[in-house]
Amino acid sequence: MAVLRHRARTLLTGVFTALALSTVLLGVAAAPAAAATLPTLNRSDAAAGWLARQLVDGERFEVVFDGVAYPDQGLTIDAVFAFAAAKVADTNAGKATAWLARPEILTGYIGDGTEAYAGATAKLALAVQVRGGNPASFGGVDLITRLRGLQTPSGRFSDRSAFGDYSNQFTQAFALLVLGRTAAGAPASGAAFLAGTRCADGGYPLYFDQPTCTSDVDATALAVQALLAAHRPADAAPAIAWLVSVQHADGAFTDGAGVVNGNSTGLAAQALAVAGRPLPWLQARAFLLTLQVRCTGPAANRGAIAYTAARFDPAIAVRATAQAVPGLTGAGLATLSAAGARPAAPALACP
């Protein structure tokens, strides 16, 4: 179940291409990148530096299906967020952004216009903003106009696709976060739709219109950030309380399959930091650091954040590390910026 949940998270973060809709992605293809390194004692920097060195050609991540590598734009964007949060690996972040702007990579992720995927469009537009670019003109596409055009009368942001509508709480949250950073701001109807999906226990579900509203740590963490960015603290408060209530004594969080893991803990930690809950954030941060490969581990893995404490899998650790770094730093998506980021990818300093 944990592996299935990990693979599903690829879809939740916006990889809604035709390939992702019709196949199961079997793994992450990673290759060492030619990134400048320097030693660091900062654990967050070391995690981001390890992540940068896993990029294929220093610019992208890939998924492998049936022995063939395909671009993983969603995971690459997660890495861009992580680099900005740690303020390192800016050279790699720049290369990743240029790669994302390539026509075949861009349309394969957000759709060609006839096909249009709301979650991918919103997430990419946010990455462009984080990098200080203009999402209204990225790779020849106005991401903001396209995203606003995918909002339905109910306030929900939905896919326009022959494959169906795969939008979810991640889609809604990313749309509000990116539009909240524009001059026009996030639409009130979109924030109201998100707020209206809250479960009875205070958390937020991943999927809409389910027979039973089931709160999800990952979805609630993104919803909290979006609601706070949309100036709806009263709607965020029950969700924050729910996150604190389901936190384990050691600071960890579980996913929908009940697996304690670095991905969910990283997302929850980020939300708790943004919400101004320092003690639960520090507890979550402390747990994440227990998953980090230290100087006693293999040199190639040092700095990485494992998905679980049970074993270290470099492929799964890529996503875990990408989502853990913002949780370690406490940098929120509403204000995340790459400004001032250092170019090099640090490595954990060891004797």
Side-chain angles (χ1 to χ4, degrees):
M1 288 298 293
V3 174
L4 291 176
R5 177 71 174 183
H6 164 71
R7 291 171 182 165
R9 191 173 277 107
T10 299
L11 297 180
L12 303 184
T13 49
V15 186
F16 295 118
T17 61
L19 169 69
L21 292 169
S22 59
T23 65
V24 176
L25 303 177
L26 299 182
V28 177
T37 61
L38 68 161
T40 182
L41 295 174
N42 185 298
R43 306 276 291 277
S44 302
D45 290 3
W50 177 85
L51 184 65
R53 287 186 290 279
Q54 310 316 300
L55 289 162
V56 177
D57 296 333
E59 67 177 10
R60 67 187 184 277
F61 285 112
E62 297 175 343
V63 292
V64 176
F65 174 70
D66 202 21
V68 179
Y70 298 91
D72 191 337
Q73 296 94 325
L75 181 54
T76 302
I77 292 172
D78 285 336
V80 169
F81 292 155
F83 301 151
K87 299 290 187 183
V88 299
D90 197 55
T91 296
N92 295 101
K95 290 180 179 179
T97 305
W99 175 76
L100 288 163
R102 288 167 51 178
E104 72 279 15
I105 302 302
L106 180 63
T107 59
Y109 185 52
I110 67 171
D112 59 6
T114 301
E115 285 281 317
Y117 314 127
T121 303
K123 188 174 180 180
L124 178 58
L126 183 59
V128 176
Q129 289 175 329
V130 167
R131 293 290 304 154
N134 179 11
S137 180
F138 182 76
V141 177
D142 185 341
L143 299 173
I144 300 301
T145 297
R146 181 176 294 191
L147 179 60
R148 289 190 183 276
L150 294 174
Q151 188 179 21
T152 67
S154 69
R156 176 178 176 174
F157 290 86
S158 297
D159 299 335
R160 184 172 64 241
S161 171
F163 297 99
D165 182 10
Y166 285 79
S167 61
N168 54 36
Q169 199 71 263
F170 275 52
T171 303
Q172 198 72 15
F174 275 121
L176 293 176
L177 285 162
V178 69
L179 293 177
R181 294 171 64 138
T182 66
S189 60
F193 178 88
L194 190 158
T197 65
R198 188 172 72 233
C199 298
D201 59 9
Y204 283 84
L206 175 57
Y207 300 109
F208 305 128
D209 305 321
Q210 296 297 299
T212 301
C213 189
T214 304
S215 295
D216 177 88
V217 169
D218 298 35
T220 300
L222 265 293
V224 164
Q225 291 200 62
L227 288 167
L228 291 175
H231 310 293
R232 297 184 70 118
D235 292 308
I240 297 165
W242 181 80
L243 282 175
V244 173
S245 74
V246 299
Q247 187 175 25
H248 294 221
D250 63 358
F253 287 85
T254 60
D255 61 18
V259 178
V260 172
N261 68 89
N263 299 64
S264 297
T265 302
L267 290 173
Q270 185 183 30
L272 291 168
V274 171
R277 298 300 299 269
L279 182 56
W281 168 56
L282 289 172
Q283 291 172 329
R285 188 179 188 277
F287 173 77
L288 289 172
L289 291 177
T290 68
L291 299 178
Q292 188 170 40
V293 179
R294 304 289 300 279
C295 292
T296 55
N301 299 338
R302 291 172 187 169
I305 306 293
Y307 177 63
T308 68
R311 69 186 183 94
F312 182 83
D313 182 335
I316 298 176
V318 166
R319 192 175 304 278
T321 303
Q323 295 186 347
V325 170
L328 289 171
T329 66
L333 292 171
T335 57
L336 187 62
S337 171
R342 302 183 296 281
L348 186 65
C350 293

